[in-house]
Amino acid sequence: CGKLTGVSNPITVRASGSRFGSWMTDTMIPTSDNRVWSMDGYFKGRRVLEYRTMSDFMKGQNFVQHLLPHPWAGTGHVVYNGSLYYNKYQSNIIIKYHFRSRSVLVQRSLSGAGYNNTFPYSWGGSSDIDLMADENGLWAVYTTIPNAGNIVISRLEPQSLEVLQTWDTGFPKRSAGESFMICGTLYVTNSHLAGAKIYFAYYTNTSSYEYTDIPFHNQYSHISMMDYNPRERVLYTWNNGHQVLYNVTLFQVIKTSGD
């Protein structure tokens, strides 16, 4: 694990779907499983397309459809260890949907979390609750009225969805374009439009933050989803109807016995 120091040029994988959406691979399972999931739109969607491989996704072939029992809100979904975690439409409830059994394993309210465009990212789209996974586990990024609209990070227990620990970053969520976790650090972009950069980092291991200046090329000028996959060490983004990847450069501090 390390600190984010750079983001590669964008790699456009496909142009599909509407302006807003989400796509991902499982953040935890072994690399032999190459399935890709795609969820088009941010509003009342229920249709999840599962492609067998990245190549199939690029060609738009060999997919199965999952129809979720409850519609989703936003684009902050994550696939973690064979299940889809997503925010239920018009609520602050998180749902864990298991793909193989096609059933909801658990649903739990994220206490006090704003929903329904109360505290979205700058692009709107009911992006109040953003679920993500990194090397340290499963996270929810959101905000509450007592936190005055500032970004809150909670680490979640994947089985029960209980909140294990919470941090208040002090960063206003409506000023953020998107955010993602790497190695227990939340990175926040300052815009969803052209010229965006990674502007802020909050370190949960020390409960401290710093302002950063990590540029990246926002090729299609409207990012509505940005998530890190720890298994592949890439950022998945949905950018104005394009599915785009970025490689990341992490700087590792090697501690020696003399430290």
Side-chain angles (χ1 to χ4, degrees):
C1 249
K3 186 174 173 179
L4 180 68
T5 56
V7 176
S8 76
N9 281 324
I11 303 150
T12 302
V13 174
R14 189 180 172 196
S16 70
S18 65
R19 191 175 192 188
F20 317 94
S22 185
W23 73 297
M24 65 216 90
T25 52
D26 199 313
T27 49
M28 242 193 104
I29 50 170
T31 46
S32 56
D33 188 327
N34 299 311
R35 287 176 297 165
V36 177
W37 289 270
S38 174
M39 299 164 70
D40 188 18
Y42 67 84
F43 180 70
K44 283 168 66 172
R46 286 178 59 204
R47 206 166 70 111
V48 183
L49 301 185
E50 176 189 298
Y51 295 84
R52 208 180 40 177
T53 63
M54 184 67 78
S55 172
D56 285 339
F57 173 72
M58 291 167 79
K59 296 170 188 159
Q61 65 185 29
N62 292 332
F63 63 86
V64 294
Q65 178 175 287
H66 298 266
L67 203 61
L68 300 174
H70 306 288
W72 71 70
T75 58
H77 333 295
V78 65
V79 176
Y80 182 80
N81 201 21
S83 291
L84 172 73
Y85 295 78
Y86 72 96
N87 176 207
K88 184 179 178 181
Y89 176 62
Q90 287 192 322
S91 76
N92 58 15
I93 291 169
I94 298 170
I95 289 178
K96 178 184 181 182
Y97 173 86
H98 188 240
F99 282 118
R100 203 171 61 238
S101 64
R102 294 183 177 249
S103 62
V104 171
L105 298 186
V106 63
Q107 49 182 313
R108 181 184 283 265
S109 173
L110 192 57
S111 181
Y115 61 93
N116 215 20
N117 276 328
T118 309
F119 300 115
Y121 289 123
S122 59
W123 64 273
S126 300
S127 57
D128 303 70
I129 296 172
D130 195 355
L131 302 166
M132 48 188 83
D134 72 352
E135 292 82 357
N136 298 2
L138 186 68
W139 306 84
V141 170
Y142 59 103
T143 187
T144 65
I145 287 167
N147 283 88
N150 290 331
I151 290 177
V152 178
I153 306 167
S154 289
R155 202 156 75 81
L156 303 179
E157 204 291 306
Q159 305 306 323
S160 66
L161 296 178
E162 284 180 73
V163 171
L164 300 173
Q165 196 175 351
T166 296
W167 295 261
D168 179 5
T169 66
F171 192 94
K173 188 158 185 289
R174 284 179 173 273
S175 300
E178 266 290 335
S179 69
F180 52 90
M181 296 289 295
I182 299 181
C183 299
T185 299
L186 182 76
Y187 295 94
V188 181
T189 71
N190 62 345
S191 170
H192 60 286
L193 301 169
K197 61 185 179 181
I198 297 159
Y199 178 74
F200 178 85
Y202 187 90
Y203 305 97
T204 60
N205 60 342
T206 56
S207 300
S208 63
Y209 69 88
E210 68 174 339
Y211 288 91
T212 58
D213 187 4
I214 303 171
F216 67 96
H217 182 36
N218 182 352
Q219 189 171 2
Y220 305 105
S221 304
H222 197 289
I223 289 177
S224 60
M225 168 255 172
M226 194 170 203
D227 257 347
Y228 172 69
N229 187 308
R231 190 165 61 98
E232 303 164 355
R233 293 222 155 154
V234 297
L235 291 172
Y236 279 71
T237 68
W238 189 290
N239 194 338
N240 222 343
H242 298 79
Q243 292 74 50
V244 180
L245 295 175
Y246 295 89
N247 290 307
V248 298
T249 305
L250 302 181
F251 176 73
Q252 273 172 298
V253 179
I254 310 295
K255 283 196 162 66
T256 64
S257 55
D259 287 354

